[in-house]
């Protein structure tokens, strides 16, 4: 067993660390306070090749492996969770459906500009009444005269309404199978489709500098060839996407926890009480030791899931375990990092207060903690 990163993985990690610490971290507080989408940082991530990191070079990507991608998300999240989710959702949710299920023509048309970071794309699964129960979709699409007519609503869709968003791929009921069950397919809906509109971005507790919107389809029409993958395979395809997406959300949790640990450690050394730095109190030392222990545990789980994926092995169980454990790790670590700050941690000018707000969604998005436990139990054969 070899725990060393390859030269390429280490190079990507240090490139991302430098970019995140020098360019993302100094912007994090301001873009959070203004709920401002950071177009310039997205452009820089594109210039660095991050927006298409794990896709082959022939499709505009950087040809890196999943481990490198996970390391990149960790480094960006360590500096700012909003920028990290913009990257992770773009790669794992927006672009991967084209890579896994698109025709060559669809890959050329959509994946290439996405991987180059020239545009963003949404992944439209969740609906107001269909969250964890994603198969309960009510959005419908009918094929009439060679065109799909779409009606319905999607909720909480990341990257769906920025100035550089090209469209969203959605799930929609396109009929019923022979047993009368909903037939769900994936449809590519470009942004300029008549009848397709986006709400303003939600006012959120965290991830404030990321773009999240409700989507509405009123007799929105797209061409028959905007079907992605096989008709009737839409839910299965999206669940497959979420299996991989869990690795990036888990990486995001590890990065956020690491960022909070950095802040807690720095503050513990600076803050004096009772005539000495609070880092000299065993109570604070034990907190920091526990935080480091959990971060290391989570990081290894994420890297193992990424390694399994790169090796072409089944990775669903490890990815779910990593997603669940890192999400909960981020909660415990951020909470303790704030505790180390005392009252100052409650003040907006300390990064740990933003991290505390940004953390909660790690236990909800891409499968809640409860759903993660259900998935794990199913994969255990229960
Ligand atoms: C900021 C943000 C960004 C998002 N981005 C996207 C995106 O890009 N694309 C997309 O499609 N979706 C996106 N989502 C949606 C996200 O994936 C859902 O919020 C999540 O899956 C949970 O669905 P829900 O919010 O409807 O909660 P619900 O499913 O209504 O769950 C409510 C509670 O019930 C529990 N629960 C539900 N079912 C069960 C069960 N069977 N057993 C035990 N407990 C259960 C849940 O764990 C939770 O605690 C985003 C959400 C947010 C907040």
């Amino acid at each position: 067993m070899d725990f060393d990163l390859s030269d390429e993985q280490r190079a990507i990690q240090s490139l991302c660390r430098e970019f995140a610490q020098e360019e993302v971290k100094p912007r994090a507080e301001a873009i959070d306070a203004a709920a401002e989408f950071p177009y310039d940082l997205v452009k820089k991530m594109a210039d660095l090749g991050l927006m298409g990191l794990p896709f082959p070079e022939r499709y505009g990507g950087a040809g890196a492996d999943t481990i490198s991608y996970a390391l990149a998300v960790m480094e960006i999240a360590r500096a700012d969770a909003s920028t990290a989710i913009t990257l992770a959702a773009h790669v794992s949710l927006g672009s991967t459906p084209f890579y896994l299920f698109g025709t060559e023509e669809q890959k050329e048309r959509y994946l290439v500009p996405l991987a180059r970071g020239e545009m963003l794309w949404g992944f439209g699964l969740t609906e107001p009444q269909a969250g964890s129960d994603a198969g309960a979709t009510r959005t419908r699409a009918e094929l009439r005269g060679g065109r799909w007519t779409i009606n319905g609503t999607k909720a909480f869709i990341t990257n769906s309404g920025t100035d550089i968003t090209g469209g969203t791929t959605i799930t929609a009921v396109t009929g019923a199978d022979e047993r009368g069950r909903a037939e769900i397919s994936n449809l590519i809906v470009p942004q300029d489709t008549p009848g397709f509109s986006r709400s303003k971005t939600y006012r959120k507790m965290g991830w404030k500098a990321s773009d999240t919107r409700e989507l509405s389809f009123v007799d929105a029409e797209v061409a028959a060839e905007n079907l992605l993958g096989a008709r009737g395979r839409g839910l299965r395809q999206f669940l497959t996407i979420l299996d991989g997406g869990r690795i990036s959300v888990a990486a995001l949790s590890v990065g956020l926890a690491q960022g909070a640990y950095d802040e807690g450690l720095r503050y513990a050394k600076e803050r004096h009480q009772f005539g000495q730095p609070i880092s000299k109190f065993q109570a604070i030392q034990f907190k920091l030791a526990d935080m480091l222990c959990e971060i290391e545990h989570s990081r290894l789980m994420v890297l193992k899931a990424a390694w399994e994926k790169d090796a072409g092995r089944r990775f669903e169980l490890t990815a779910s375990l990593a997603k669940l454990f890192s999400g909960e790790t981020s909660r415990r670590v951020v909470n303790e990092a704030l505790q180390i700050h005392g009252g100052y941690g409650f003040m907006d000018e300390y990064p740990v207060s933003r991290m505390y707000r940004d953390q909660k969604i790690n236990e909800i998005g891409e499968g809640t903690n409860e759903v993660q436990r259900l998935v794990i139990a199913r994969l255990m054969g229960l």
Side-chain angles (χ1 to χ4, degrees):
M1 189 176 291
D2 181 1
F3 284 96
D4 277 332
L5 298 177
S6 68
D7 289 346
E8 190 192 343
Q9 290 159 350
R10 212 165 325 112
I12 290 173
Q13 183 186 44
S14 67
L15 175 86
C16 292
R17 184 168 298 169
E18 196 183 315
F19 165 67
Q21 293 301 313
E22 289 179 10
E23 307 207 37
V24 179
K25 194 171 172 185
R27 297 280 310 288
E29 185 190 341
I31 60 176
D32 173 76
E36 172 200 333
F37 187 82
Y39 289 100
D40 59 327
L41 294 178
V42 172
K43 168 84 174 59
K44 284 178 184 165
M45 290 197 287
D47 293 345
L48 292 173
L50 303 185
M51 302 302 278
L53 198 57
F55 303 117
E57 289 174 20
R58 70 180 187 283
Y59 296 126
D65 57 13
T66 315
I67 292 180
S68 303
Y69 170 50
L71 293 169
V73 173
M74 281 179 203
E75 292 302 331
I76 309 289
R78 186 174 180 177
D80 179 43
S82 285
T83 307
I85 187 56
T86 298
L87 169 67
H90 171 74
V91 173
S92 291
L93 303 183
S95 308
T96 304
F98 293 110
Y99 179 55
L100 290 186
F101 308 114
T103 59
E104 272 311 304
E105 201 191 325
Q106 288 169 338
K107 288 190 174 89
E108 283 300 324
R109 184 156 172 194
Y110 300 106
L111 180 58
V112 170
L114 288 171
R116 289 190 185 138
E118 293 164 1
M119 63 177 181
L120 299 173
W121 203 269
F123 171 89
L125 175 66
T126 305
E127 298 191 1
Q129 78 302 327
S132 302
D133 186 9
T137 181
R138 283 191 201 155
T139 297
R140 303 191 71 82
E142 264 183 77
L143 193 56
R144 293 187 216 140
R147 295 183 73 74
W148 294 102
T149 304
I150 308 165
N151 282 287
T153 308
K154 295 284 170 183
F156 305 139
I157 310 304
T158 303
N159 286 341
S160 62
T162 71
D163 297 347
I164 53 169
T165 298
T168 292
T169 306
I170 61 165
T171 46
V173 176
T174 49
D177 66 12
E178 58 289 347
R179 288 159 64 188
R181 288 175 312 192
E183 173 203 83
I184 295 177
S185 306
N186 292 145
L187 292 172
I188 302 166
V189 190
Q191 210 72 334
D192 57 3
T193 303
F196 171 34
S197 58
R198 281 75 54 192
S199 72
K200 284 190 179 155
T201 190
Y202 294 89
R203 287 177 55 233
K204 305 187 291 279
M205 155 186 181
W207 285 4
K208 280 174 177 280
S210 73
D211 182 84
T212 324
R213 300 185 192 236
E214 184 170 286
L215 313 183
S216 155
F217 305 88
V218 180
D219 289 333
E221 275 193 22
V222 296
E225 61 264 25
N226 282 31
L227 183 71
L228 182 72
R231 183 169 175 167
R233 297 287 298 161
L235 184 61
R236 179 85 324 268
Q237 290 180 175
F238 266 29
L239 295 180
T240 301
I241 297 293
L242 291 180
D243 286 336
R246 284 187 187 123
I247 297 177
S248 63
V249 178
L252 201 156
S253 294
V254 172
L256 178 71
Q258 179 74 48
Y261 168 83
D262 295 343
E263 294 301 321
L265 180 65
R266 191 178 48 75
Y267 189 83
K269 289 180 182 166
E270 280 170 19
R271 175 72 172 168
H272 283 66
Q273 288 292 280
F274 300 98
Q276 57 178 341
I278 58 170
S279 61
K280 295 291 171 202
F281 301 129
Q282 196 179 51
I284 301 291
Q285 292 172 355
F286 279 13
K287 281 189 199 304
L288 287 162
D290 288 347
M291 289 154 75
L292 192 58
C293 186
E294 287 205 55
I295 293 167
E296 188 62 10
H297 183 166
S298 300
R299 190 193 324 275
L300 289 173
M301 290 175 91
V302 175
L303 293 178
K304 183 174 178 219
W307 176 84
E308 286 176 348
K309 185 164 187 283
D310 286 334
R313 302 192 186 183
R314 300 293 303 262
F315 63 92
E316 297 85 342
L317 177 60
T318 325
S320 262
L321 292 169
K323 193 308 182 161
L324 174 63
F325 191 76
S326 340
E328 295 192 347
T329 291
S330 69
R331 164 161 45 83
R332 290 186 287 263
V333 169
V334 171
N335 187 46
E336 291 295 37
L338 195 149
Q339 191 69 19
I340 289 171
H341 282 69
Y344 292 97
F346 202 64
M347 299 298 128
D348 277 344
E349 59 264 41
Y350 283 81
V352 77
S353 100
R354 180 186 73 253
M355 292 168 173
Y356 190 83
R357 287 185 284 101
D358 280 339
Q359 181 281 323
K360 188 60 212 171
I361 185 64
N362 291 342
E363 301 183 88
I364 296 171
E366 292 197 37
T368 63
N369 286 354
E370 293 76 16
V371 166
Q372 230 47 249
R373 287 184 165 85
L374 287 177
V375 170
I376 291 165
R378 197 176 311 130
L379 290 167
M380 288 160 64
L382 300 174

